[in-house]
Amino acid sequence: MPEINVYEELRWRGLIHQTTDDAVLPGFLMERSRTVYAGFDPTADSLHVGHLMALMILRRFQKAGHRPIALVGGATGMIGDPSGKSEERRLLSEEELRKNVEAVEKQLKRFLDFEGKETSALLLNNYDWMGKFGYLEFLREVGKHVPVNVMLTKESVKTRLERSDSGLSYTEFSYMLLQAYDFVHLYREYGCEIQVGGSDQWGNITAGIDLARRLIGVQLYGITCPLLTKSDGTKMGKTESGALWLDPQKTSPYQFYQYWINVEDDLVEKCLKFFTDLSREEIASIVAQHREAPENRLGQRRLAQEITRLVHGESGLQAAERATAILFGAEIEQISERELDEIFSDVPSRTVSRSQLEGPGLPIVDALCLADLAKTKGEARRTIQQGGAYVNNRRVTDQEVRLTAENLVGDRTIVLRVGKKRYGLLRFEG
RNA sequence: GGGGGGUUUCCCGAGUGGUCAAAGGGGUCAGACUGUAAAUCUGAUGGCUCUGCCUUCGCAGGUUCGAAUCCUGCACCCCCCA
């Protein structure tokens, strides 16, 4: 028997974009413990921030006394969801998929409670039931119940058909049916009655609800969460260099933390509600303080703390904060080698041969490229010309400068920076 | 199977024989202003051993002193008809 009204909770947090039945759901969710699922297609070897919202919803359902199912799309990932995609996608190889499924499953486990009682989470892979389905069997059991004219009205299909430069293959067109059937299967096997997903999943979710009604005559429900966008219209969680990954190998805790520290003021409250477990009172107080003195970035700090701890654990958070304090704080010259050691693996860095510093030294332009702060030497030159390059936090204006042992901080590190906040460490060994 | 349209630098998109590394916009990067914010303004934006050289306009050949632009073949995409 749920003690918390999860519907109210989600509403307050702004996590509800659309539901299939606003009038019924609150009562439905208070009546007794329900089972709810969200799907995650293994399109990469890690989840990213974009997946976090659905995960947080599952978490909140579980906390409120419901049972969450995290579904990994081993089967659907083989097809490719056309929702929100403007172009046909390339198929992933089975080997790639296997690797991705494994990685994603591992990450999902972090966010839900799999221990104990009846609300303990389930981790399922739809390949387990989809893989066995024969084509003819699928057409007879599932396809027969889905009118094509309904499929054609779905947003994901419509936008693709309207484009003059890209089409939609039969394969991707069929994706919807697979996801629809997943829902039916989960209802039959696990009594799952609710599906949650991003707003782009609406079409797929309702397809599942329709199918369940036609096939077995039951009423299922769907909830979608909003797409979080920045003031420039881009999706939250995207960076210049791609997604913000949850895998520390792909996005270090420091980089992850920095992303949230830089969130614009207008989004802080939303993010706190979406991504942290802080209570209403705590969030209200943080937001109030933040409004009074936005320059202190209290909101961003709390946000970065909470979400980094959630994703990377206490040690990840500490590493991130340490690196931040060192790089954005003290004079670089005063930083000890030990401190540099500590942050070395968190900040983007490169180890190179010490011999580079000998003789005339390492041209600054090459150094910036080595540290991945510039893609080409031309770009490095340009950056210097425009006054955006720093060695140990000192601006460099001469493109011809060469780095020698004299530039070392501690005894083997040089701290490079491009722009206001992109740091790169070079370590000289050997 | 038939007919038509298309493929340009990160993206959109101009360019139909030399003055094209290729207009314009977007994005991105840097600077100024700030608070490691938003907005705004400025500049940059193929590579390099950089007053020059090299590589790019779907792919492969050809015509020409010279091709993103003309010709031939191929691939892929879109639309219409069957």
Side-chain angles (χ1 to χ4, degrees):
Chain A
M1 193 67 180
E3 329 67 268
I4 307 170
N5 189 335
V6 69
Y7 181 88
E8 280 307 311
E9 169 78 5
L10 294 177
R11 265 272 172 242
W12 170 75
R13 288 190 183 269
L15 281 164
I16 295 180
H17 174 250
Q18 223 175 344
T19 77
T20 48
D21 203 328
D22 277 321
V24 170
L25 271 170
F28 180 77
L29 287 167
M30 283 309 282
E31 203 180 317
R32 63 183 173 83
S33 176
R34 306 285 177 178
T35 298
V36 52
Y37 103 89
F40 303 89
D41 271 3
T43 49
D45 59 0
S46 168
L47 295 173
H48 53 76
V49 167
H51 296 113
L52 214 48
M53 229 187 296
L55 264 173
M56 293 307 289
I57 293 181
L58 287 186
R59 256 172 87 88
R60 300 205 154 95
F61 264 97
Q62 186 168 34
K63 281 194 176 156
H66 302 279
R67 177 171 66 159
I69 295 176
L71 180 71
V72 179
T76 37
M78 295 181 78
I79 303 306
D81 185 357
S83 305
K85 297 277 183 280
S86 57
E87 271 173 28
E88 182 84 11
R89 293 194 288 184
R90 109 175 198 282
L91 288 175
L92 293 161
S93 73
E94 299 199 17
E95 191 186 333
E96 238 173 316
L97 267 165
R98 233 190 330 271
K99 259 179 34 207
N100 293 352
V101 167
E102 248 174 71
V104 166
E105 284 183 343
K106 222 169 94 198
Q107 290 180 335
L108 286 170
K109 287 190 184 149
R110 296 189 50 112
F111 294 90
L112 300 167
D113 186 1
F114 288 85
E115 298 304 314
K117 36 190 200 284
E118 64 275 16
T119 60
S120 84
L122 289 175
L123 184 61
L124 303 173
N125 183 343
N126 59 13
Y127 190 82
D128 292 343
W129 54 90
M130 281 300 179
K132 298 185 206 115
F133 235 126
Y135 185 61
L136 295 175
E137 198 189 339
F138 187 79
L139 289 182
R140 287 176 69 93
E141 183 170 340
V142 181
K144 193 65 181 168
H145 302 279
V146 185
V148 168
N149 50 351
V150 172
M151 290 174 77
L152 289 173
T153 63
K154 303 284 181 186
E155 202 54 43
S156 58
V157 171
K158 255 195 337 208
T159 47
R160 281 283 280 277
L161 293 181
E162 275 162 13
R163 284 180 67 107
S164 60
D165 59 342
S166 68
L168 177 67
S169 70
Y170 176 70
T171 301
E172 285 197 12
F173 179 60
S174 316
Y175 182 93
M176 191 189 302
L177 294 191
L178 299 189
Q179 189 166 332
Y181 184 75
D182 279 343
F183 202 175
V184 171
H185 177 88
L186 292 176
Y187 171 75
R188 281 178 174 153
E189 299 295 315
Y190 304 96
C192 175
E193 296 168 285
I194 306 155
Q195 181 178 176
V196 301
S199 53
D200 57 346
Q201 291 298 308
W202 183 253
N204 291 336
I205 293 173
T206 52
I209 293 171
D210 282 345
L211 183 63
R213 193 175 19 229
R214 287 166 199 263
L215 220 49
I216 41 182
V218 296
Q219 179 63 54
L220 303 179
Y221 300 92
I223 299 174
T224 59
C225 55
L227 204 62
L228 190 50
T229 54
K230 297 193 278 192
S231 58
D232 58 5
T234 59
K235 281 188 211 161
M236 197 73 200
K238 290 272 181 218
T239 66
E240 323 74 57
S241 45
L244 247 209
W245 301 102
L246 302 191
D247 180 349
Q249 298 299 314
K250 293 168 80 86
T251 301
S252 78
Y254 163 76
Q255 288 167 310
F256 188 85
Y257 179 90
Q258 280 293 318
Y259 180 85
W260 299 104
I261 281 287
N262 281 301
V263 163
E264 60 195 83
D265 291 345
D266 290 349
L267 282 179
V268 167
E269 182 174 358
K270 266 191 184 172
C271 286
L272 283 167
K273 285 179 179 171
F274 282 2
F275 299 115
T276 74
D277 290 331
L278 297 174
S279 68
R280 295 187 187 209
E281 297 73 40
E282 282 174 294
I283 290 178
S285 127
I286 293 166
V287 169
Q289 288 180 63
H290 185 263
R291 286 232 176 85
E292 235 163 80
E295 65 277 13
N296 292 339
R297 311 177 79 79
L298 178 78
Q300 281 93 336
R301 242 175 272 281
R302 268 321 279 283
L303 173 65
Q305 268 169 16
E306 293 297 323
I307 189 165
T308 305
R309 185 185 296 120
L310 178 70
V311 173
H312 295 295
E314 194 60 45
S315 65
L317 171 61
Q318 275 171 23
E321 288 190 318
R322 206 159 49 216
T324 296
I326 290 169
L327 294 178
F328 291 92
E331 284 287 311
I332 288 282
E333 270 83 359
Q334 290 159 22
I335 297 172
S336 71
E337 192 59 40
R338 242 198 66 236
E339 287 175 299
L340 286 170
D341 268 346
E342 282 180 357
I343 67 169
F344 190 68
S345 57
D346 290 297
V347 179
S349 52
R350 241 344 186 336
T351 302
V352 295
S353 162
R354 190 167 191 113
S355 61
Q356 303 258 37
L357 293 177
E358 286 158 11
L362 178 64
I364 176 71
V365 171
D366 292 323
L368 290 172
C369 293
L370 278 172
D372 265 337
L373 292 173
K375 281 193 284 296
T376 64
K377 292 180 192 178
E379 188 182 315
R381 284 211 180 81
R382 221 177 292 134
T383 307
I384 298 169
Q385 227 162 47
Q386 297 180 133
Y390 301 78
V391 172
N392 301 328
N393 275 350
R394 251 195 217 115
R395 180 176 279 173
V396 173
T397 47
D398 179 4
Q399 297 176 30
E400 304 306 320
V401 164
R402 280 161 181 274
L403 302 177
T404 65
E406 283 178 29
N407 296 97
L408 290 172
V409 174
D411 43 47
R412 49 189 176 145
T413 311
I414 291 179
V415 179
L416 298 171
R417 192 178 109 210
V418 161
K420 279 175 204 147
K421 46 201 179 196
R422 273 170 64 212
Y423 280 94
L425 265 46
L426 277 187
R427 165 154 297 183
F428 297 87
E429 305 273 13

